[in-house]
Amino acid sequence: MRVHAENLGVNYGRVWGIRGLNFDVRAERLAVVGHNGSGKTTLLSVLAGLRKPSEGKAEVDGVEPYDRKDKWIAVRYSFEKPQFSIPVKVRDIVELLRSSSHCRKVDNLVDELGIGSFLDQRLDGISSGQAQLCNLLVALSCDAEVTILDEPTAHLDSYRAGVVDDMISRRRGVIIATHEPEEAEAVADYFMILKEGRIVWQGDRNELFSEDVYEVTLTGSSLPGEGFEIIHRFGAVLIVKADRERLDELFSSGVIAGFKRAGLRYVYASSGSGGEEDENET
């Protein structure tokens, strides 16, 4: 999958949702990461062909998705906040998908997503988590060259979110938006961080984990002694520059519960994108 943009911008009157985006990504799975209001949904809506840019252009596999005159790219889009205000049963949606020759993964996904337990409930009466599972069923069960998922695990419990992330990590041609660094790392091979509608960092997995920076989980309230530099703190998790042998010593003595090489949490904090979140997504 190739995703390309030149001076891409979208405005809403006097406010720019995104502006000046330039990238040329070749990846199987792209994660767009950022806090609420950073422009993730605006970018995804352009890539899905749902919104035309105010300036510049975007291409998915060589096609401008909002202007499909000569070529067609099969794009499936999953919204962050699914709403099904229609009085039909979940079973009816499943049967409709089964009737299409392009939707060959329906039964497997019904099983994997746990939808079988509420097939006889009406769509307008299910929980937000169940609605999200139905939303993902529609997005993932049918053939598509590119699948675009906006916050795919919103409203899901941690177990079901893990199932969905594992499912996404095995697919090709996926673009997801998420505000969770851990989710992005779990599924993607290329990452883009947005802040206030602009790209503040982008790179592949090798670039993401290239520095000797670690995420350290504390057992107490702080790290004792010397031999490390604290870059940022997320509660009981510290982002530190440290020698691995020093961290091994701290782990063996029980001072820390564990550590791993830092990735998006580090670049997220370093780029200034890890602050307080706004209430509304742009």
Side-chain angles (χ1 to χ4, degrees), residues 80-236:
E80 175 188 358
K81 299 175 181 177
Q83 294 183 345
F84 297 102
S85 55
I86 50 178
V88 300
K89 292 183 177 180
V90 174
R91 184 183 301 279
D92 297 326
I93 296 296
V94 172
E95 293 299 331
L96 179 63
L97 291 170
R98 281 175 179 158
S99 67
S100 171
S101 60
H102 297 289
C103 302
R104 295 165 292 181
K105 304 170 185 174
V106 180
D107 291 330
N108 287 340
L109 284 172
V110 166
D111 183 52
E112 288 185 67
L113 295 173
I115 293 175
S117 62
F118 56 92
L119 283 173
D120 290 319
Q121 294 188 42
R122 287 190 359 172
L123 284 171
D124 57 358
I126 59 179
S127 70
S128 57
Q130 291 171 328
Q132 182 68 292
L133 293 175
C134 291
N135 185 36
L136 290 167
L137 174 68
V138 173
L140 298 175
S141 61
C142 303
D143 297 337
E145 295 176 48
V146 177
T147 303
I148 298 178
L149 307 172
D150 192 355
E151 300 283 0
T153 58
H155 316 298
L156 300 182
D157 61 73
S158 58
Y159 170 76
R160 196 61 62 187
V163 170
V164 171
D165 284 342
D166 181 62
M167 192 181 300
I168 295 171
S169 72
R170 291 183 272 114
R171 298 175 70 95
R172 295 182 177 181
V174 176
I175 302 171
I176 76 162
T178 179
H179 64 276
E180 296 288 350
E182 294 83 358
E183 178 171 51
E185 290 178 6
V187 305
D189 54 358
Y190 196 94
F191 311 89
M192 185 182 301
I193 297 179
L194 294 184
K195 180 182 180 182
E196 297 177 357
R198 297 184 181 273
I199 298 172
V200 294
W201 188 90
Q202 61 177 309
D204 62 19
R205 189 168 287 275
N206 289 331
E207 293 172 285
L208 184 65
F209 296 104
S210 62
E211 298 190 45
D212 290 327
V213 180
Y214 296 87
E215 289 186 30
V216 175
T217 303
L218 300 174
T219 56
S221 60
S222 62
L223 282 176
E226 301 177 348
F228 44 81
E229 173 191 350
I230 298 176
I231 299 172
H232 203 80
R233 180 165 189 158
F234 299 91

Side-chain angles (χ1 to χ4, degrees), residues 267-281:
V267 295
Y268 205 51
S270 300
S271 66
S273 300
E276 292 296 321
E277 295 191 355
D278 301 324
E279 291 297 322
N280 298 310
E281 171 65 39

